[in-house]
Amino acid sequence: MSSDTIMFTPDDQEAAEKQIADQTKRIDFYITEYSVEMLANKMRSGEYIVPAYQREFTWEHDRKSKFIESLIMGLPIPFIFFWEMPDGKLEIVDGSQRLRTLEEFLLGGLRLGPLDQLSQVSDFTFSDLPESRQRKIGNRSIRGIVLNEHADEAARLDMFERINTGSKNANTAEIRRGALAGPFMNLVMELAAESRFAKLAPMSDKRTKERGYEELVTRFFAYGDGLSGYKDRPADFIFSYAKKKNLEFKASPSLADDYRRRFWEMLDFVERVFPYGFRKIGTGNATPRARFEAIAIGSSLALRDSPEIASRDRSEIGVDSWIQGPEFMKITGSDGANARSRLEGRINFVRDRLIRQ
């Protein structure tokens, strides 16, 4: 047996099996098949609902044309994923671009661009094709997977994210932004746009465009308010938290001022006390998420528990003695970063050292 072998107890296996069973219950579905004509008509009539987090992501004209070319040639079309809403309509979990393109081609006069394989069909609209070909296209079928109405929002968003991993679609922060519009998310977007925040927590243009700052702000509040109910699945936990906070902010608008002040106080403290902000080194141009969580939330909790540290000199607090040390580097590493024990460990490490000093 090698030194790297991990031994799991029967209790570990039972806990793993329970988690698998719980997650499996969230995804109850049936498989169906629809004609292209029916899909286009149901899109036009509003029977299929495009959720907010997918509306702003639209294919370029070339990609639409390539998809229609594949359809005409009879190439296999990937499954469409739906969620059966309580009113019987179907929300599109994945496949909205394909369905919108079908509707636009069959019913909306979409004119194809240059095609590779079917060059003679370039610049055609659906009505330009012979009637026999129109019927053949309309009769083609596409398979669908329909989640039943008991699949919760987090399960549907998780499925969308997993299906689209590595593609040009929405990420978790973008999905949350669209699906959970409300006063709390408005505050998140406001704080994410702070220029001082960007200075203390630099990130690439790509990550910025993917709502990276919004993700950090949301995590700051979600984890800072406590990890009760956290199951090592950040996306589910943060989604539920943001949904709850939208309702609380709507019921009590003054909460926004309290949360805004909390974030600003944390930024003030980090800017004054931590030599490189949330970066590893002074010339760093990236902000590791685990490092941000440790410093931001740990500092906020320390300020809450010992408000007097806000007025202490940087030399008194002594961050330099441990911020670049091997222990802090290790606990803010990526290995198991989302496990609750690791998350609490790095947050409490910073809080305890700030208070102890």
Side-chain angles (χ1 to χ4, degrees):
M1 184 180 299
S2 72
S3 59
D4 294 332
T5 301
I6 301 175
M7 300 297 293
F8 292 105
T9 66
D11 287 343
D12 293 330
Q13 293 173 332
E14 182 178 350
E17 180 58 29
K18 182 179 183 304
Q19 187 179 52
I20 293 170
D22 289 344
Q23 294 301 316
T24 301
K25 290 176 184 176
R26 302 166 71 212
I27 310 296
D28 190 11
F29 64 90
Y30 62 88
I31 298 176
T32 188
E33 202 158 323
Y34 303 98
S35 71
V36 166
E37 183 178 26
M38 177 184 289
L39 290 170
N41 284 321
K42 283 186 174 290
M43 281 296 293
R44 175 58 58 93
S45 67
E47 286 290 308
Y48 296 158
I49 307 300
V50 180
Y53 60 83
Q54 296 191 54
R55 285 176 196 149
E56 64 181 277
F57 299 95
T58 57
W59 279 353
E60 304 86 353
H61 185 260
D62 288 348
R63 193 167 180 184
K64 292 178 183 178
S65 298
K66 190 173 183 65
F67 170 70
I68 296 300
E69 181 182 38
S70 298
L71 176 73
I72 295 173
M73 291 172 63
L75 296 177
I77 304 299
F79 278 85
I80 306 290
F81 286 80
F82 297 100
W83 170 61
E84 190 172 48
M85 302 169 70
D87 64 2
K89 293 183 178 181
L90 298 182
E91 178 187 283
I92 307 165
V93 176
D94 183 72
S96 70
Q97 303 299 333
R98 280 165 276 160
L99 291 175
R100 282 185 272 187
T101 300
L102 288 178
E103 178 197 353
E104 191 177 353
F105 183 60
L106 268 68
L107 304 173
L110 173 65
R111 187 172 296 280
L112 301 176
L115 304 180
D116 294 329
Q117 303 298 319
L118 301 178
S119 57
Q120 296 298 321
V121 186
S122 298
D123 297 323
F124 271 53
T125 65
F126 183 68
S127 61
D128 292 327
L129 294 167
E131 287 188 8
S132 59
R133 180 55 56 186
Q134 292 180 33
R135 294 190 191 98
K136 290 175 182 177
I137 293 172
N139 288 334
R140 290 199 185 281
S141 62
I142 296 177
R143 304 188 82 183
I145 291 180
V146 183
L147 306 176
N148 73 14
E149 61 183 290
H150 302 298
D152 60 25
E153 289 171 295
R156 304 194 309 271
L157 294 175
D158 181 51
M159 175 174 284
F160 177 80
E161 183 186 13
R162 288 173 183 274
I163 292 168
N164 289 289
T165 297
S167 73
K168 196 181 173 184
N169 282 297
N171 59 32
T172 305
E174 291 170 325
I175 292 169
R176 193 183 306 129
R177 188 187 214 240
L180 293 176
F184 172 71
M185 290 307 300
N186 289 342
L187 177 65
V188 167
M189 288 185 280
E190 172 197 320
L191 297 177
E194 288 277 335
S195 58
R196 186 163 56 122
F197 184 29
K199 180 181 177 181
L200 292 171
M203 63 177 65
S204 66
D205 289 343
K206 179 177 182 295
R207 193 175 165 200
T208 300
K209 291 176 181 176
E210 292 173 347
R211 317 293 183 191
Y213 285 111
E214 292 176 26
E215 181 71 18
L216 295 184
V217 174
T218 312
R219 285 178 179 240
F220 169 76
F221 289 127
Y223 296 162
D225 278 349
L227 293 171
S228 176
Y230 184 83
K231 303 292 185 183
D232 297 348
R233 289 182 52 82
D236 287 359
F237 178 78
I238 296 172
F239 184 91
S240 297
Y241 172 85
K243 184 177 181 180
K244 178 181 71 175
K245 285 298 168 184
N246 269 335
L247 295 174
E248 291 180 4
F249 275 44
K250 188 174 181 179
S252 181
S254 63
L255 274 177
D257 293 332
D258 295 337
Y259 276 65
R260 184 182 293 107
R261 187 180 308 110
R262 183 167 132 197
F263 187 79
W264 284 345
E265 287 174 350
M266 178 274 294
L267 283 188
D268 289 340
F269 184 78
V270 170
E271 185 175 36
R272 184 172 63 83
V273 170
F274 287 84
Y276 308 131
F278 301 106
R279 298 167 292 180
K280 284 186 177 181
I281 59 175
T283 57
N285 57 7
T287 302
R289 186 175 288 167
R291 188 180 181 89
F292 169 82
E293 292 165 353
I295 294 174
I297 303 168
S299 296
S300 183
L301 295 180
L303 288 166
R304 181 198 67 186
D305 296 340
S306 298
E308 68 276 8
I309 67 171
S311 59
R312 287 182 185 167
D313 292 335
R314 176 180 160 183
S315 58
E316 288 184 84
I317 296 175
V319 165
D320 300 59
S321 64
W322 53 264
I323 192 65
Q324 300 289 47
E327 187 176 3
F328 184 66
M329 293 295 185
K330 181 178 179 181
I331 64 172
T332 53
S334 60
D335 184 31
N338 290 324
R340 179 169 178 170
S341 59
R342 291 289 303 274
L343 179 57
E344 290 178 328
R346 59 179 175 265
I347 292 171
N348 292 337
F349 178 94
V350 173
R351 181 200 64 187
D352 293 346
R353 271 155 185 75
L354 292 174
I355 293 176
R356 188 183 306 162
Q357 291 298 109

